[in-house]
Amino acid sequence: MLKQSQYLIPTLREVPADAEIASHKLLLRAGLARQLASGVYTYMPLALRTLHKIQAIVREEMNRAGAQELLMPTLQPAELWQLSGRWDAYGPELMRLDDRHDRQFALGPTHEEVITSLVRDEVNSYKKLPLNLYQIQTKFRDEVRPRFGLIRCREFIMKDAYSFDTSWEGLENNFQAMFDAYSRIFTRVGLNFRAVEADAGTIGGTGTYEFMALCEIGEDTIAYSTEGDYAANLEKAEVVYKGKTQPDLNVPPMEKIHTPATRTIEQLTNALQIEAKQIIKSLVLRVDDKLVIVLIRGDHELNEVKVKNHYDATHVSMASEEEIRNLVKAPAGFVGPVGLPADVEIIADNFVQDVQDGVVGANEVDYHLRHVKPGRDFQVKAYGDFRNIMEGDESPTGKGTIAFARGVEVGHVFKLGTKYSQALGATYLDENGRSQPMIMGCYGIGISRTLAAVIEQNNDENGIIWPVSVAPFHVHVIPVNAKVEEQRTASEEITAMLTEAGIEVLYDDRPERAGVKFKDADLIGLPLRITVSDKVQDGLVEIKVRRSGETFEVNRTELVPFIQELLAKL
Amino acid sequence: MLKQSQYLIPTLREVPADAEIASHKLLLRAGLARQLASGVYTYMPLALRTLHKIQAIVREEMNRAGAQELLMPTLQPAELWQLSGRWDAYGPELMRLDDRHDRQFALGPTHEEVITSLVRDEVNSYKKLPLNLYQIQTKFRDEVRPRFGLIRCREFIMKDAYSFDTSWEGLENNFQAMFDAYSRIFTRVGLNFRAVEADAGTIGGTGTYEFMALCEIGEDTIAYSTEGDYAANLEKAEVVYKGKTQPDLNVPPMEKIHTPATRTIEQLTNALQIEAKQIIKSLVLRVDDKLVIVLIRGDHELNEVKVKNHYDATHVSMASEEEIRNLVKAPAGFVGPVGLPADVEIIADNFVQDVQDGVVGANEVDYHLRHVKPGRDFQVKAYGDFRNIMEGDESPTGKGTIAFARGVEVGHVFKLGTKYSQALGATYLDENGRSQPMIMGCYGIGISRTLAAVIEQNNDENGIIWPVSVAPFHVHVIPVNAKVEEQRTASEEITAMLTEAGIEVLYDDRPERAGVKFKDADLIGLPLRITVSDKVQDGLVEIKVRRSGETFEVNRTELVPFIQELLAKL
């Protein structure tokens, strides 16, 4: 019998000063987690029970999808990371140490290198493929700014899986199996989530979805369609351009105008009394080793990832003030596409074509040009989709329009292809005895972050509201006055009876006032509370549903089936 | 259904060259573990199943004993280790790293500092004590010489528990509860073990037992009594001295003899034709900051730990050649207790008193003294128990004599006392409102080492012989010829039937020759093998018990109860 008086649940009355978001506050206030160092937490007994339940659900669904669990080391030799090129590329987020023999190791933030070298050494034939291997493990990433409690940590728990196939169709099967398993997992743990198309990022690969728990504190913007299930990350969401919608206008000749100290879109619209969409912004970007001018309509936002993908580049960033001056002889804010040397490369977002009578920088301090018409007054090398999607834009699926939501990434499914198998030599012999690189996918779930996301989505002003599937216990049994023999005895009998029936019970035997116990119960947030008062003399106890606040008066003799039914419904 | 063709069990025919001991060889050969770096291993799917079973047993028994599970971080701030003094004292075995802000961290090899600071911050009253908190976690220790596979690793899995009490009686209760839980755990996982009295070592504390799995490759010597259950580590086992057993002899006067190049006991016994027990060895030891001469009978072995405890010292080591020369003006090998300045401290093992006509060094190169009599020719400051116990010695319990065994430490229970609570300020208010330091115990189990020890004790020339409780699967189902439709179908039906009954089955569906499959089955070592041959036409299959080699021919219809009964008996 788990008696609360003996159990380490150090609840707090005060809201910790450094906690900004609900889940962080509640993890601390409900005694679930304690910080040891920035982004490094101890999981207290209640939280660990929930983590184990999340892990059990993850294992069930991974095994059901045909994946096999193993456990790889945290210490990873630098040599492996040098083979993949990530020893340098990963940067300061990779935690590193030297052992007593001055050999360098990384603390694993992810395990592509290790699993690829393992499978390279152990699997040589197509007969042993496909293979999907996963682990649940503590990971390390030296975040520049750990924050939001368990949302962005330096030490955290992940499930990571890696699939190995002989064909892209095989990868597609494994990928789909993982996508489906993830959907089941996040549904079972009680998250409101969306699978969101995302860019593959630095890990490489060609197809990727993020599973986002929807919450306002999310650091990522999700663009979703008001109809259908389309959703994508802002950086990924495609903007559909269907060609010019207006007839070709007769635009007056281009004209230079004096616009002193007018560098921003806002300053321009004020000074010239025009709308932002009449302006064509000229942004100078460094794309790997060259400088490129990208034109974007004044009311739109540049999407650097789309530019990066257009050029198949490794790095894209805004050019420095100096680089800009060298290129166009004018400072940022006055750059424009007109009259530049032929070797300056200009690309433009599709929607720039809709600006027929535009304003652009004159490549001269304090001057702009107006009545500028694309095609007439300047040429571009290519039009394309280089802007962020906006709320109200048409959905790429053609159904509905785009709305924004914010989310926390709790899962990620990637098609890696042959990036790591080629770098590390993970090949197999095909049916014809030819050596081929394995085709890989990788699939991650942030276990400890999922715990935080569940709390972030399931709480009210009084505390946590646990979904039954991952609640540390199902039922909180509370005698109104533990000093009254009859209430105490009844509480213990009820606890024993429910436990016998497989229901997990926390029994609050503390000699505290009822108000204190109820406050703690709401804060800890178990799905059901059973209050044992003087009415127990008549055989009656009160059940309160944490989420809805509903109460029921139930006879002790009918308690077990009543509770089972309630839990099944929640 | 777990089909072996799809399961990652990379068995090896060859015995790996660098594996010296049975468990290391078998971990590699049976595809259970793979080395990533020296002392750093990946647990393959089969091994992880066993690890999970060991962990489940540990959790059950820890919870039953009233302990609560939590999970502390691997990254531990240096400041905490500086508070306890172990940042320096732990030496190069502590793996250390700097984060991106140049803050220093240790990778936890143990968690006294972290748990003590946690309990310090969260528990302030005697009402919240006692408390026993445990975790199962990956630990790091930079062993100078990792070896023996999973026996001595740099990254390994441990269960560590820490108890907090208000009294020494309370600690005694927690200690006893852990001792009993450990006895149940090691019994349940199928180990032949002994609980062995041990010295508290550098961790500090006053009472400690090691749980030793008995195996010849063990690095520790256990002294146990041929009668009763007394067992102690060699460094701890007390040698009983009951006073002189012989009458006082009339010994001729002391005499100096020329013994050129005769420095060792063996050289002396040969040169003088005497027994080793007639020689009194004079060993110069550095005890913290002073030099001490310790006398030991020639046939006995010095026990430095006993000397250290006698002086309540921090460090004891053999003095350097230079220190010896400075002290006695003679090289090692010719040191003796006769005629030294009064400020040279001499202590002697009890049994030196039995040497009435002895040989000692003359404190002069190439000379010894004979006819030396303790008390007559030299004085000592104290007699005491300073030697290792030997086989044949009387047991300290008075019952039986001492025999030696070798063992691998799989568990450890310590009484820590107030060492850490005082260093880190973990105090509570007692019933009278007075601040008191908490009284602590700590309790470790090497989870991954236990896995290795189970294999070390349970194998034969053909492979592993898993105890049922921790076997990766219970039953191996093998069709003699998987190409024969009838055998294959029967095998799958049997697998499904057993699985349905809660029995864990590995089904070898590989298109290999029967001999290959049987060899792999013996190597992997599941408790029972079911062979499906042509006899299945008559409804018969063969069951083979891995441990005994017994075989049974059983009708398919009776298979489930038969297997259940066999497993219960094993």
Side-chain angles (χ1 to χ4, degrees):
Chain A
M1 186 174 309
L2 272 166
K3 295 184 177 177
Q4 199 166 338
S5 65
Q6 300 161 358
Y7 206 66
L8 188 61
I9 313 177
T11 54
L12 304 175
R13 289 283 155 269
E14 302 291 313
V15 181
D18 60 335
E20 303 165 59
I21 65 169
S23 65
H24 190 186
K25 288 176 191 168
L26 289 168
L27 280 162
L28 297 174
R29 285 192 56 214
L32 297 172
R34 287 295 181 261
Q35 183 173 288
L36 178 64
S38 172
V40 178
Y41 285 84
T42 292
Y43 306 103
M44 304 289 275
L46 277 187
L48 191 61
R49 287 182 69 97
T50 291
L51 282 176
H52 283 168
K53 290 187 180 189
I54 296 172
Q55 289 173 13
I57 290 170
V58 168
R59 283 200 172 97
E60 266 180 50
E61 296 296 347
M62 290 302 292
N63 294 345
R64 195 208 291 201
Q68 298 171 38
E69 188 177 1
L70 45 52
L71 183 58
M72 291 177 274
T74 291
L75 292 173
Q76 306 189 0
E79 293 77 22
L80 273 182
W81 284 71
Q82 282 153 356
L83 277 182
S84 73
R86 291 208 289 182
W87 183 255
D88 294 323
Y90 213 94
E93 286 197 1
L94 190 64
M95 297 191 113
R96 300 156 208 247
L97 61 82
D98 297 339
D99 74 2
R100 67 195 300 156
H101 305 297
D102 290 326
R103 291 200 195 93
Q104 289 184 299
F105 288 85
L107 294 191
T110 178
H111 278 67
E112 282 81 7
E113 285 82 357
V114 176
I115 195 80
T116 307
S117 71
L118 178 80
V119 172
R120 171 195 68 202
D121 294 343
E122 305 301 339
V123 177
N124 304 307
S125 161
Y126 72 95
K127 289 180 197 161
K128 286 288 188 183
L129 298 174
L131 198 57
N132 188 350
L133 300 165
Y134 77 98
Q135 61 177 352
I136 295 177
Q137 198 200 35
T138 297
K139 297 276 198 284
F140 300 85
R141 194 173 298 160
D142 204 352
E143 292 282 352
V144 65
R145 199 157 74 99
R147 63 195 289 230
F148 290 166
L150 297 185
I151 300 274
R152 190 167 290 282
C153 280
R154 299 201 291 171
E155 177 171 346
F156 51 98
I157 304 171
M158 270 196 73
K159 187 284 299 175
D160 46 328
Y162 306 89
S163 68
F164 297 84
D165 275 282
T166 59
S167 69
W168 289 92
E169 296 73 40
L171 170 59
E172 195 57 56
N173 290 341
N174 260 318
F175 187 85
Q176 192 60 45
M178 287 297 99
F179 188 98
D180 296 345
Y182 278 33
S183 300
R184 290 193 300 267
I185 287 166
F186 293 120
T187 302
R188 286 181 64 185
V189 301
L191 278 185
N192 177 17
F193 71 96
R194 280 194 99 122
V196 170
E197 272 185 53
D199 192 73
T202 55
I203 202 166
T206 54
T208 169
Y209 276 85
E210 290 171 1
F211 286 78
M212 307 291 282
L214 302 181
C215 9
E216 285 184 12
I217 59 94
E219 295 177 279
D220 297 295
T221 300
I222 302 161
Y224 66 95
S225 176
T226 52
E227 286 172 49
D229 59 3
Y230 175 81
N233 247 355
L234 196 57
E235 57 186 15
K236 174 70 179 177
E238 186 196 347
V239 182
V240 176
Y241 182 71
K242 295 190 168 168
K244 297 187 198 177
T245 48
Q246 290 181 320
D248 211 22
L249 299 179
N250 212 344
V251 179
M254 194 166 65
E255 181 186 353
K256 187 156 132 184
I257 50 176
H258 191 217
T259 51
T262 310
R263 289 162 181 262
T264 67
I265 298 297
E266 202 188 346
Q267 289 164 341
L268 264 182
T269 53
N270 285 338
L272 304 182
Q273 289 295 306
I274 54 173
E275 286 186 89
K277 67 180 183 185
Q278 289 175 263
I279 301 167
I280 298 170
K281 285 190 284 193
S282 303
L283 302 165
V284 185
L285 269 64
R286 165 162 289 285
V287 178
D288 288 342
D289 287 337
K290 76 175 175 185
L291 296 175
V292 170
I293 294 180
V294 184
L295 309 181
I296 299 288
R297 218 170 70 182
D299 57 334
H300 288 155
E301 249 176 35
L302 174 73
N303 183 315
E304 288 186 19
V305 170
K306 290 178 178 176
V307 174
K308 185 172 156 222
N309 291 341
H310 173 79
Y311 282 104
D312 198 12
T314 307
H315 291 290
V316 167
S317 59
M318 300 306 290
S320 69
E321 187 74 23
E322 193 190 338
E323 287 173 325
I324 295 173
R325 277 183 188 276
N326 286 342
L327 188 74
V328 300
K329 319 296 174 215
F334 300 101
V335 178
V338 178
L340 288 174
D343 61 344
V344 174
E345 184 161 328
I346 304 173
I347 61 173
D349 181 68
N350 288 319
F351 289 82
V352 167
Q353 299 167 77
D354 289 348
V355 186
Q356 298 203 46
D357 185 350
V359 171
V360 304
N363 294 323
E364 189 179 336
V365 183
D366 291 346
Y367 285 93
H368 279 82
L369 301 172
R370 71 174 163 201
H371 305 315
V372 173
K373 188 172 186 182
R376 183 188 76 181
D377 299 322
F378 65 88
Q379 304 297 327
V380 306
K381 189 171 180 196
Y383 282 101
D385 174 18
F386 301 123
R387 73 165 171 98
N388 284 336
I389 207 163
M390 300 201 307
E391 287 193 288
D393 274 341
E394 192 182 328
S395 165
T397 59
K399 278 189 242 159
T401 55
I402 289 297
F404 282 177
R406 299 194 74 78
V408 168
E409 183 190 334
V410 286
H412 211 151
V413 291
F414 269 90
K415 290 179 195 160
L416 285 175
T418 59
K419 176 179 161 125
Y420 292 95
S421 52
Q422 281 183 324
L424 288 127
T427 58
Y428 66 94
L429 295 179
D430 69 12
E431 278 125 317
N432 305 311
R434 278 184 311 230
S435 179
Q436 306 274 9
M438 298 180 194
I439 298 169
M440 293 174 56
C442 76
Y443 317 96
I445 288 180
I447 301 279
S448 43
R449 184 183 277 184
T450 293
L451 166 73
V454 167
I455 296 175
E456 196 63 38
Q457 286 187 354
N458 295 275
N459 67 76
D460 61 17
E461 66 280 14
N462 296 316
I464 303 170
I465 304 170
W466 286 111
V468 173
S469 62
V470 297
F473 296 90
H474 302 124
V475 175
H476 211 152
V477 170
I478 303 180
V480 169
N481 186 342
K483 284 178 199 141
V484 176
E485 165 88 26
E486 202 163 21
Q487 290 185 25
R488 203 175 58 239
T489 313
S491 295
E492 288 175 7
E493 284 169 8
I494 287 168
T495 299
M497 190 168 68
L498 292 171
T499 305
E500 181 71 21
I503 297 163
E504 300 167 17
V505 183
L506 179 64
Y507 164 41
D508 191 348
D509 63 326
R510 298 176 301 162
E512 302 279 356
R513 284 181 296 112
V516 170
K517 291 188 282 190
F518 292 159
K519 260 200 155 19
D520 273 349
D522 279 350
L523 180 55
I524 293 169
L526 303 184
L528 299 178
R529 184 181 96 191
I530 298 180
T531 311
V532 179
S533 68
D534 278 341
K535 287 193 188 165
V536 79
Q537 291 173 337
D538 309 321
L540 294 176
V541 297
E542 188 199 75
I543 299 172
K544 186 174 179 192
V545 180
R546 175 67 180 91
R547 193 176 290 276
S548 65
E550 288 170 284
T551 58
F552 306 91
E553 214 164 62
V554 179
N555 200 294
R556 281 175 62 176
T557 53
E558 291 151 22
L559 199 54
V560 169
F562 194 92
I563 294 280
Q564 282 169 330
E565 217 167 290
L566 259 182
L567 287 174
K569 265 194 290 186
L570 286 174
Chain B
M1 185 175 308
L2 272 167
K3 295 185 177 177
Q4 198 165 338
S5 65
Q6 299 161 359
Y7 206 66
L8 188 61
I9 312 176
T11 55
L12 304 175
R13 288 283 157 268
E14 302 291 314
V15 181
D18 59 336
E20 304 165 57
I21 65 169
S23 66
H24 190 186
K25 288 176 192 167
L26 289 169
L27 280 162
L28 297 174
R29 285 193 54 214
L32 297 172
R34 288 295 182 261
Q35 183 174 287
L36 178 64
S38 172
V40 179
Y41 286 84
T42 292
Y43 306 102
M44 303 288 274
L46 277 187
L48 191 61
R49 288 181 69 96
T50 291
L51 283 176
H52 283 167
K53 289 187 180 189
I54 295 172
Q55 290 174 11
I57 290 171
V58 168
R59 283 200 172 99
E60 265 181 51
E61 297 295 346
M62 291 301 293
N63 294 345
R64 196 208 291 200
Q68 298 172 37
E69 187 177 2
L70 43 54
L71 182 58
M72 290 178 274
T74 291
L75 292 173
Q76 306 188 359
E79 293 76 22
L80 273 182
W81 285 71
Q82 282 153 355
L83 276 182
S84 73
R86 292 208 290 182
W87 182 254
D88 294 323
Y90 214 94
E93 286 196 359
L94 189 64
M95 299 191 111
R96 299 158 210 246
L97 62 82
D98 298 338
D99 75 1
R100 68 195 300 157
H101 305 296
D102 289 326
R103 291 199 195 93
Q104 289 184 298
F105 287 85
L107 294 191
T110 177
H111 278 67
E112 282 81 6
E113 284 82 358
V114 176
I115 194 83
T116 307
S117 73
L118 179 78
V119 173
R120 172 194 66 201
D121 295 343
E122 305 302 338
V123 176
N124 303 307
S125 161
Y126 72 95
K127 290 180 197 161
K128 285 287 187 182
L129 298 173
L131 199 57
N132 188 350
L133 300 165
Y134 77 98
Q135 62 176 352
I136 295 177
Q137 196 199 35
T138 297
K139 296 277 197 284
F140 300 84
R141 195 174 297 161
D142 204 352
E143 292 282 352
V144 64
R145 200 157 74 97
R147 62 195 289 230
F148 288 168
L150 297 185
I151 301 273
R152 191 167 288 282
C153 280
R154 300 202 290 171
E155 177 172 346
F156 52 98
I157 304 172
M158 272 195 71
K159 187 283 299 175
D160 46 330
Y162 307 88
S163 68
F164 297 84
D165 275 282
T166 59
S167 69
W168 290 91
E169 297 72 42
L171 169 59
E172 195 57 56
N173 291 342
N174 260 319
F175 187 85
Q176 192 60 47
M178 287 297 99
F179 188 98
D180 296 344
Y182 278 33
S183 300
R184 291 194 299 268
I185 287 166
F186 293 120
T187 302
R188 287 181 63 184
V189 301
L191 277 186
N192 178 17
F193 71 96
R194 279 194 100 122
V196 171
E197 273 185 52
D199 192 74
T202 53
I203 202 168
T206 55
T208 169
Y209 276 85
E210 290 171 1
F211 285 79
M212 307 290 283
L214 302 182
C215 10
E216 285 182 13
I217 58 94
E219 294 177 279
D220 297 296
T221 299
I222 302 161
Y224 67 95
S225 176
T226 52
E227 288 172 46
D229 59 2
Y230 176 81
N233 246 355
L234 196 57
E235 56 185 18
K236 174 71 176 175
E238 187 196 347
V239 182
V240 176
Y241 182 69
K242 294 188 168 168
K244 296 187 198 177
T245 47
Q246 289 184 319
D248 212 22
L249 297 180
N250 212 345
V251 179
M254 196 167 66
E255 183 187 350
K256 187 155 133 186
I257 49 175
H258 190 217
T259 50
T262 311
R263 289 163 180 260
T264 67
I265 299 295
E266 202 188 348
Q267 288 164 343
L268 264 182
T269 53
N270 285 337
L272 305 182
Q273 288 296 304
I274 55 174
E275 286 185 86
K277 68 180 183 183
Q278 290 175 262
I279 301 167
I280 299 172
K281 285 189 284 193
S282 303
L283 303 164
V284 185
L285 268 66
R286 165 162 288 285
V287 178
D288 288 343
D289 286 338
K290 76 176 174 186
L291 296 175
V292 171
I293 295 183
V294 184
L295 308 182
I296 299 286
R297 220 170 68 183
D299 58 332
H300 289 156
E301 249 177 34
L302 175 73
N303 182 315
E304 289 186 19
V305 171
K306 291 177 178 176
V307 174
K308 184 172 157 220
N309 291 341
H310 174 78
Y311 283 104
D312 198 13
T314 308
H315 290 291
V316 166
S317 59
M318 300 304 291
S320 69
E321 187 73 25
E322 194 189 340
E323 288 172 325
I324 295 172
R325 277 184 188 275
N326 286 342
L327 187 75
V328 300
K329 321 295 175 216
F334 300 101
V335 178
V338 178
L340 289 175
D343 61 344
V344 174
E345 184 160 328
I346 304 173
I347 61 173
D349 181 66
N350 289 319
F351 289 82
V352 168
Q353 299 166 74
D354 290 347
V355 185
Q356 299 204 45
D357 185 350
V359 171
V360 304
N363 293 323
E364 190 180 335
V365 181
D366 292 348
Y367 285 94
H368 279 81
L369 301 172
R370 72 175 160 199
H371 304 316
V372 172
K373 189 171 183 182
R376 184 190 75 182
D377 299 324
F378 65 88
Q379 305 297 327
V380 306
K381 190 171 178 196
Y383 283 102
D385 174 18
F386 301 124
R387 72 166 172 95
N388 284 337
I389 207 162
M390 300 201 308
E391 286 195 287
D393 276 340
E394 191 182 326
S395 165
T397 59
K399 280 189 243 159
T401 55
I402 290 297
F404 281 177
R406 299 193 74 76
V408 168
E409 183 191 335
V410 286
H412 211 151
V413 291
F414 270 88
K415 291 179 194 160
L416 285 175
T418 58
K419 176 179 160 126
Y420 292 96
S421 51
Q422 282 184 322
L424 288 127
T427 58
Y428 66 95
L429 295 180
D430 68 13
E431 278 126 316
N432 305 311
R434 279 185 310 232
S435 179
Q436 307 275 8
M438 297 180 194
I439 298 169
M440 293 174 56
C442 77
Y443 317 96
I445 289 180
I447 302 277
S448 43
R449 185 184 279 183
T450 293
L451 167 73
V454 167
I455 297 174
E456 196 62 38
Q457 286 187 355
N458 295 277
N459 67 77
D460 63 13
E461 67 279 13
N462 296 318
I464 302 170
I465 305 171
W466 287 109
V468 174
S469 62
V470 296
F473 296 89
H474 302 125
V475 175
H476 211 153
V477 170
I478 303 180
V480 170
N481 186 342
K483 284 177 200 142
V484 177
E485 164 90 26
E486 203 162 21
Q487 290 184 24
R488 202 174 59 239
T489 312
S491 296
E492 288 176 6
E493 284 168 7
I494 288 168
T495 299
M497 191 168 68
L498 293 171
T499 304
E500 180 73 18
I503 297 163
E504 299 168 16
V505 183
L506 180 64
Y507 164 40
D508 191 348
D509 63 325
R510 296 176 301 162
E512 301 282 355
R513 283 180 298 113
V516 169
K517 290 187 282 189
F518 293 158
K519 260 199 155 22
D520 274 349
D522 280 350
L523 180 56
I524 293 169
L526 303 183
L528 299 178
R529 185 181 95 191
I530 298 179
T531 312
V532 179
S533 68
D534 278 343
K535 287 194 186 161
V536 78
Q537 291 174 337
D538 308 321
L540 294 177
V541 297
E542 187 198 76
I543 299 171
K544 187 173 178 191
V545 180
R546 175 67 182 91
R547 193 176 290 276
S548 65
E550 288 171 284
T551 58
F552 306 89
E553 214 165 63
V554 179
N555 199 293
R556 279 175 63 175
T557 54
E558 292 151 21
L559 199 54
V560 169
F562 194 91
I563 294 278
Q564 282 169 330
E565 220 168 286
L566 258 181
L567 287 174
K569 265 193 290 187
L570 284 175

